[in-house]
Every structure is written in structure tokens, then in C-alpha cells.
């Protein structure tokens, strides 16, 4: 019954974790830099990790729906671990390399006076520190549990409404009003 009652709306609800993480990034960036940057709403990197929040929310909700001993939860959890590992290691290191390459390009231009052919700076904020991933993880866990509770409440209300309707129809049928 719980599988049949889930749909695309529940998938969209998981995106709440990503959106909240991105909003928190804008707020923390505003506090730290005293400047609002719309780029933080859509960009990678920063506090908290939106990727971590999203995949942990999906894993937690999957565990709650399907059981923490299910194969589908194991798959969701492995995906979450891979995404968080990538954010803290591969993407974080790529961002550090971009910083270094940008600094080297600036230094080359200052020393030689020549402009490099690619005037665009490499994007430096790509990955996350462990604390940024942990914050995203906590946000995702919290949203996964709260959305699960919300969906269960909605399902219960729907079931009660359906039962009331069935009782009303049964009562009318017994009284001979409905055939």
C-alpha cells in the first residue's frame, strides 16, 4: 500500500533538502562576505553540501519506507557514500587545483605582461570540506525523517477519509437510499 501511494510528488519532496541546503549557502555566504550572491543558490561547494543533503535524504527515506535491511536501502546508501566521498575528495581537490592554476596564470601574466588565451578563471569552489558534508548529511537526515513523517500523516488522513466515506455509503445503503 505504501508503495502504491507514493508518486512524483514524493520525489519532488526529496528536493526540499537540496533547496534548503542551497538557501543556507546563500545565507552563510551573505554573513561571511557581506554580499549576496545568487551564484551560491545554484553553485557547487560551500556550507552545507546540497549533494550530501539530497542523497542522505533519499537514503533515509528509503530506509524508513523499505527497511534499513533492504537491498534498495543498501543501494541508496552506497550512492550517498560515493557522492559524499566525491564531494570531499575528488571535487574538493579539483577546486584546490583550480585555485593553484588561477594563481599561476595571474603570476604568469604579471611577470610576462602577456595575456593568456583563456581569460576565464577556472571555477574554484567545487567540492566540500568534511564539515560541509557533515552539515549537508545532518540536513538530509532531518528532512528525510520529517518528510517521511509528513507523508505517513497524509496517508493516514487519506485512509481515515476513505473509511469515513465507506461508512457513510454503507449507512445510506442500509437505510435503502443507495442500491
Amino acid at each position: 500500500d505504501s508503495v502504491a501511494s507514493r508518486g512524483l510528488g514524493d520525489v519532488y519532496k526529496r528536493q526540499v533538502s537540496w533547496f534548503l541546503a542551497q538557501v543556507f549557502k546563500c545565507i552563510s555566504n551573505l554573513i561571511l562576505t557581506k554580499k549576496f550572491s545568487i551564484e551560491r543558490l545554484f553553485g557547487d561547494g560551500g556550507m552545507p553540501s546540497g549533494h550530501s543533503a539530497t542523497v542522505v535524504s533519499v537514503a533515509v527515506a528509503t530506509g524508513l519506507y523499505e527497511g534499513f535491511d533492504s537491498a534498495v536501502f543498501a543501494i541508496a546508501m552506497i550512492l550517498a557514500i560515493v557522492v559524499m566521498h566525491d564531494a570531499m575528495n575528488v571535487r574538493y581537490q579539483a577546486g584546490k587545483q583550480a585555485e593553484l592554476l588561477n594563481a599561476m596564470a595571474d603570476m604568469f601574466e604579471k611577470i610576462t605582461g602577456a595575456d593568456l588565451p583563456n581569460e576565464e578563471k577556472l571555477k574554484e569552489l567545487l567540492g566540500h570540506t568534511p564539515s560541509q558534508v557533515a552539515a549537508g548529511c545532518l540536513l538530509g537526515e532531518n528532512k528525510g525523517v520529517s518528510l517521511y513523517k509528513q507523508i505517513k500523516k497524509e496517508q493516514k488522513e487519506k485512509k481515515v477519509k476513505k473509511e469515513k466515506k465507506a461508512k457513510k455509503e454503507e449507512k445510506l445503503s442500509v437505510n435503502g437510499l443507495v442500491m
Side-chain angles (χ1 to χ4, degrees), residues 23 46 65-66 85 100 102 110 113 116 125 159 168:
V23 168
Y65 275 118
E66 305 297 335
H85 180 270
L100 182 60
N102 286 336
K110 284 178 187 172
L116 292 173
L125 196 55
K159 183 179 178 184
K168 186 176 180 180

Side-chain angles (χ1 to χ4, degrees), residues 50-95:
H51 289 89
S52 298
T54 302
V55 294
V56 169
S57 178
V58 168
V60 167
T62 300
L64 290 168
Y65 275 118
E66 305 297 335
F68 290 97
D69 60 346
S70 68
V72 71
F73 169 72
I75 293 167
M77 199 63 225
I78 289 167
L79 175 66
I81 291 167
V82 167
V83 168
M84 291 185 290
H85 180 270
D86 178 69
M88 284 190 299
N89 294 295
V90 179
R91 288 179 31 231
Y92 184 72
Q93 290 302 319

Side-chain angles (χ1 to χ4, degrees), residues 3 10 17 31 34 40 50 58 71 80 82 87 91-92 101 103 108-109 131 147 163 168:
V3 173
D10 291 347
S17 297
I31 292 167
K34 309 287 190 255
R40 297 309 325 129
V58 168
V82 167
R91 288 179 31 231
Y92 184 72
L101 289 170
F108 178 81
E109 288 178 351
S131 61
L147 288 172
E163 287 171 353
K168 186 176 180 180

